[in-house]
Amino acid sequence: MAKGAKKGPAHPASKFLQAALVLVIISCIFAFVSLFVPWSLKKPSSTERKSIQLFQNCYWDPTHYLDLYSCQENNMDLTYPNDLPIYGDAKCRGYFMATTAFTFLTFIFALFCICALVFVLSKIHTKPVAVCAAAAVLVFLTWVFCMLAWIMYIVYAEHPCGTRGIPMRGYSVAFILMILASVMMLFAMCLAYFALIKLKKWQPPQPEFTYPEVDRPMYFGEPSASPYNVPAPYSQNHNAPGPDYPYAKTPYA
């Protein structure tokens, strides 16, 4: 764009879509991080800590000078009643697997939302109502999956798994991140629907019609130099004496 050129007016829906895009990107990052950080952090004693993640559980002794971690993959087999995170409980396995699935779906659908919102912003002046509506639906589904992820983890953490009779609880980083992500997705969903309403009402500006300029010949100097200044034949004075042309006078014989 040339320097000093005027930009066109901003689309009324663009600010809503941009804000929704920022919120969805942050929620996507939170969902991705929640796949690998602890959902629960337990302190059974002063010399023992254990954390529950979606794919592994870890033990460590905070009083040890090396602060060594010992992690193992989550055992979802019902025949091991003493292994984390389900302690051989079928209900706990269902709750925990649902949490994992909904967290993963939140991340995947958030990526779809980002792609859809970026496409709508790039084509916003062509009025892509259908794509904007699809983006709003994707944001809604992502919010639902995000809500279900931490709700199912509450059900798991408050349920006494196995024969222990003690709920897991100890909600940690991933649980908090998913709650924050669900709040941001709720706002993103509202912004996406506001943008859809604005986009439906918006009408593209009609181009102004201007008459083409006709270049007329320009004449400089004496008025007689212009062919338009030549007098019409009927306006000439025919009684005026003609030019005195020299001729030879021959005497009569």
Side-chain angles (χ1 to χ4, degrees):
M1 184 177 291
K3 186 177 180 181
K6 294 182 179 179
K7 295 182 179 180
H11 196 284
S14 61
K15 57 183 179 181
F16 295 104
L17 291 172
Q18 291 169 358
L21 178 61
V22 172
L23 293 175
V24 172
I25 291 175
I26 298 174
S27 300
C28 183
I29 295 173
F30 283 0
F32 179 76
V33 173
S34 298
L35 292 171
F36 306 101
V37 298
W39 283 72
S40 287
L41 181 62
K42 298 290 289 184
K43 301 178 181 179
S45 65
S46 60
T47 61
E48 184 182 1
R49 300 289 185 273
K50 60 181 178 181
S51 64
I52 305 298
Q53 303 176 20
L54 295 181
F55 302 106
Q56 66 178 5
N57 55 88
C58 299
Y59 298 85
W60 70 96
D61 182 0
T63 62
H64 196 277
Y65 71 98
L66 293 178
D67 198 18
L68 297 177
Y69 279 75
S70 176
C71 297
Q72 61 182 3
E73 186 179 353
N74 288 337
N75 190 354
M76 308 302 289
D77 195 342
L78 298 179
T79 59
Y80 293 87
N82 297 320
D83 287 355
L84 287 174
I86 64 171
Y87 293 101
D89 191 299
K91 289 185 178 179
C92 285
R93 181 175 68 173
Y95 302 149
F96 196 85
M97 292 180 67
T99 300
T100 305
F102 287 131
T103 305
F104 186 74
L105 286 173
T106 300
F107 171 66
I108 295 299
F109 271 73
L111 292 177
F112 292 156
C113 291
I114 293 171
C115 296
L117 291 173
V118 169
F119 181 82
V120 174
L121 283 170
S122 64
K123 303 291 184 180
I124 192 167
H125 289 285
T126 61
K127 200 174 182 179
V129 177
V131 182
C132 187
V137 173
L138 284 173
V139 174
F140 170 74
L141 292 175
T142 308
W143 171 71
V144 171
F145 294 144
C146 192
M147 289 279 294
L148 290 174
W150 60 265
I151 289 175
M152 292 306 300
Y153 193 80
I154 291 178
V155 177
Y156 158 77
E158 297 297 328
H159 181 77
C161 297
T163 58
R164 298 182 315 119
I166 303 174
M168 178 61 66
R169 296 176 182 168
Y171 304 102
S172 190
V173 178
F175 178 79
I176 298 172
L177 288 178
M178 290 302 290
I179 291 180
L180 294 176
S182 65
V183 173
M184 286 187 290
M185 289 304 303
L186 177 61
F187 284 107
M189 180 180 62
C190 297
L191 290 170
Y193 280 102
F194 287 150
L196 179 60
I197 294 173
K198 291 285 186 180
L199 192 61
K200 285 182 177 180
K201 294 181 179 179
W202 179 75
Q203 295 296 331
Q206 298 297 328
E208 297 181 359
F209 179 78
T210 57
Y211 291 96
E213 296 183 359
V214 179
D215 295 334
R216 296 183 178 181
M218 300 296 295
Y219 297 92
F220 301 95
E222 296 296 332
S224 60
S226 172
Y228 298 103
N229 293 329
V230 176
Y234 57 82
S235 64
Q236 297 180 359
N237 187 1
H238 296 281
N239 295 324
D244 188 12
Y245 295 103
Y247 60 92
K249 293 182 180 182
T250 305
Y252 291 99

